[in-house]
Amino acid sequence: MKRFLLVLCLVVALVGIPAFAETKTINFLEVMTSPERTAMLKGMIDEYESSHPGVKVNLISPPYEQADQKATLMLNSNQPLDIIEVRDNTIKQFVNNKKLTNLAKYYRSWKEAKTLTPVSVAAAKTVDNTPYIIPQCIFIKALFVRKDILEKNGVTTLPNTIAELINTCIKITNPAKNQYGFAWRGKSSEMKFSDYFASAYVKDIKKDAVLYSEEKNYFTDPRYVQGMKAYVELFKKGAPQDAINWGFNEQINGFVSGITPFLIQDPDAIPLIDKMLDPEKYVVIPVPVGPTGMAYLDYGFTGLGIPSYSKNAAQAWDFIKWMSSAEKNAYFCEHYGALPVQSTAFKTNKYFQGKHYQAFLKEMTTPSKYVFKPFPQSSPKWPGWGSIHEADMQSVLLGQAKLETVLAKWKDYWTK
């Protein structure tokens, strides 16, 4: 027995201890948590670990509502962390606090950096034109259309311009038949819709860094006012009046039911709609352009970064690079409902070759018509802006305030 234990100790000494000593654990904090998404990430981590012996990825998944706060706390207190999921609304804060690593040297040695879509590159360099993250998924808007409903109402052409969209919505609207045109957004980020309509009338925005800011805004510009008037007309003559209280779910229900055959939404609406409606009953096309011949689109994103104090930066980068390959990123986005960050994914992944995704690719690769302009999320005035905009816009739509008065108020808010 003693001889056996001696042999066992020798085996452990020669084999076991080095094996344990070589195991490296990297801590990965996700923030866009959901049971389905976390399960998918764990599956991908299992695949990475099986092909990288000696590496363990410890996934930290706080509840969604607390995740951003958890990320801030862990970074500010330098808690062990090697990979962090960064959102478009947190990247500025993390960089200002010097908590993210500049990934420029990693980008230079990464072949697939060259095939990132232009909007992905812009997202990566959101702060100081420096790549602090590799985006994992992109959200932009396109126009969803129920062609079957349009044909029932005698419409056989699709709108290329905002004017054509509004005219079609007004033409088919018949409250007596519960038929309307546009799936209006009245609540929660409704400004993204009014800004899309109004900004498309102002060519000068193209040269600005953001859609509006303390330094430059167009709220009282006659062209912007004209765009807002068209938007208000769309509500009054081409949308359900109770849609003034519609959020995402109500928009989707209005579209699926056929009450509103036009819907402007992000790609994550596609998997949801496909569960409720025959995919052959609708198409997705690029958003119509304004009188400028252009449309300004904002974009949302999440990405992966390396905390500035990480002691495992090289291994963290290897995992991020693996997750960001065209194959793995497309798999991730396919199951998450977002757009992939690699342009090659639209050619190699059958899901993104589907007809419902080609509109997004068209928008991302036609800079002469579709200009990506982020909101001023780093401005101290941004956090309170959404509630102000929503309340003012509802007052205008309900006839309780004049449009010109509200626009002057918005200009003052952003100028002072």
Side-chain angles (χ1 to χ4, degrees):
M1 185 64 179
K2 289 182 179 177
R3 188 173 181 181
F4 171 75
L5 291 174
L6 178 61
V7 172
L8 179 61
C9 289
L10 287 172
V11 170
V12 170
L14 294 173
V15 180
I17 290 177
F20 284 121
E22 291 173 2
T23 299
K24 180 176 291 185
T25 299
I26 54 177
N27 293 310
F28 171 15
L29 175 69
E30 66 161 333
V31 296
M32 302 290 285
T33 50
S34 71
E36 297 80 9
R37 188 177 190 271
T38 298
M40 179 179 60
L41 271 178
K42 286 182 176 178
M44 296 183 75
I45 288 172
D46 288 344
E47 182 183 355
Y48 177 81
E49 289 177 341
S50 67
S51 60
H52 294 75
V55 178
K56 176 177 174 53
V57 180
N58 177 38
L59 182 64
I60 304 168
S61 305
Y64 176 81
E65 293 77 12
Q66 305 165 18
D68 284 335
Q69 185 179 6
K70 175 81 171 179
T72 301
L73 176 64
M74 291 189 73
L75 287 176
N76 288 346
S77 54
N78 289 354
Q79 293 184 38
L81 201 56
D82 304 296
I83 302 168
I84 184 167
E85 189 171 28
V86 182
R87 299 174 63 180
D88 46 20
N89 61 345
T90 56
I91 187 170
K92 178 74 173 179
Q93 165 198 344
F94 294 163
V95 172
N96 285 349
N97 291 338
K98 303 185 186 308
K99 295 300 181 182
L100 291 182
T101 299
N102 180 346
L103 302 181
K105 70 174 183 180
Y106 298 111
Y107 267 75
R108 285 194 290 271
S109 63
W110 181 41
K111 290 183 179 179
E112 292 193 88
K114 298 177 182 177
T115 51
L116 289 171
T117 60
V119 69
S120 298
V121 173
K125 297 182 177 180
T126 293
V127 182
D128 301 333
N129 198 31
T130 300
Y132 285 103
I133 61 167
I134 291 186
Q136 294 298 292
C137 47
I138 298 292
F139 298 93
I140 62 176
K141 288 181 170 50
L143 182 65
F144 293 58
V145 185
R146 288 286 304 269
K147 291 181 68 175
D148 57 332
I149 302 299
L150 292 183
E151 289 170 358
K152 286 182 181 177
N153 288 275
V155 178
T156 56
T157 59
L158 300 179
N160 293 310
T161 69
I162 286 176
E164 291 174 357
L165 171 63
I166 293 175
N167 289 338
T168 302
C169 287
I170 293 174
K171 177 181 178 180
I172 68 172
T173 291
N174 185 344
K177 296 182 178 179
N178 199 28
Q179 180 65 67
Y180 301 89
F182 190 67
W184 190 266
R185 179 66 165 258
K187 291 283 191 179
S188 182
S189 300
E190 49 74 40
M191 62 188 165
K192 294 189 175 184
F193 295 83
S194 61
D195 279 331
Y196 154 70
F197 279 87
S199 64
Y201 284 68
V202 186
K203 189 175 183 178
D204 297 358
I205 295 176
K206 185 177 182 179
K207 65 179 185 298
D208 298 335
V210 292
L211 200 58
Y212 43 79
S213 66
E214 295 93 327
E215 291 76 28
K216 190 69 176 178
N217 62 71
Y218 299 87
F219 295 120
T220 56
D221 185 294
R223 297 165 294 178
Y224 189 92
V225 175
Q226 184 184 358
M228 284 298 292
K229 286 182 176 178
Y231 181 65
V232 172
E233 182 184 27
L234 173 61
F235 173 74
K236 292 183 175 179
K237 299 180 180 178
Q241 297 307 284
D242 63 342
I244 195 171
N245 292 314
W246 280 14
F248 175 81
N249 290 332
E250 290 81 6
Q251 281 186 296
I252 297 297
N253 289 335
F255 179 75
V256 170
S257 67
I259 293 174
T260 52
F262 289 112
L263 166 73
I264 292 178
Q265 261 304 339
D266 296 306
D268 56 343
I270 294 176
L272 179 60
I273 293 173
D274 284 352
K275 291 180 181 177
M276 305 165 69
L277 181 69
D278 182 350
E280 296 301 319
K281 289 190 174 181
Y282 76 99
V283 297
V284 183
I285 63 175
V287 292
V289 298
T292 57
M294 299 183 297
Y296 299 105
L297 292 168
D298 74 296
Y299 53 89
F301 62 87
T302 64
L304 299 180
I306 301 175
S308 55
Y309 57 84
S310 169
K311 296 179 180 178
N312 300 301
Q315 192 62 57
W317 167 252
D318 188 75
F319 178 77
I320 292 175
K321 182 175 66 174
W322 183 86
M323 282 283 292
S324 305
S325 67
E327 177 189 358
K328 303 306 177 189
N329 179 251
Y331 173 84
F332 176 81
C333 290
E334 174 184 343
H335 291 83
Y336 183 45
L339 297 176
V341 300
Q342 294 284 354
S343 58
T344 50
F346 289 92
K347 300 176 183 176
T348 58
N349 183 287
K350 290 185 178 179
Y351 186 76
F352 291 109
Q353 289 176 339
K355 62 181 182 180
H356 290 152
Y357 286 92
Q358 296 309 301
F360 299 100
L361 179 61
K362 179 75 172 179
E363 290 176 342
M364 291 191 291
T365 56
T366 314
S368 61
K369 293 180 69 174
Y370 307 104
V371 183
F372 290 95
K373 289 291 173 187
F375 285 102
Q377 295 190 0
S378 60
S379 168
K381 296 191 175 184
W382 178 255
W385 175 234
S387 57
I388 294 172
H389 192 287
E390 182 177 313
D392 287 344
M393 201 67 235
Q394 292 219 346
S395 294
V396 170
L397 297 177
L398 293 170
Q400 299 169 349
K402 290 185 177 180
L403 175 63
E404 289 79 3
T405 303
V406 164
L407 294 176
K409 176 186 174 184
W410 292 354
K411 182 176 179 60
D412 288 343
Y413 177 83
W414 278 98
T415 302
K416 291 180 179 177

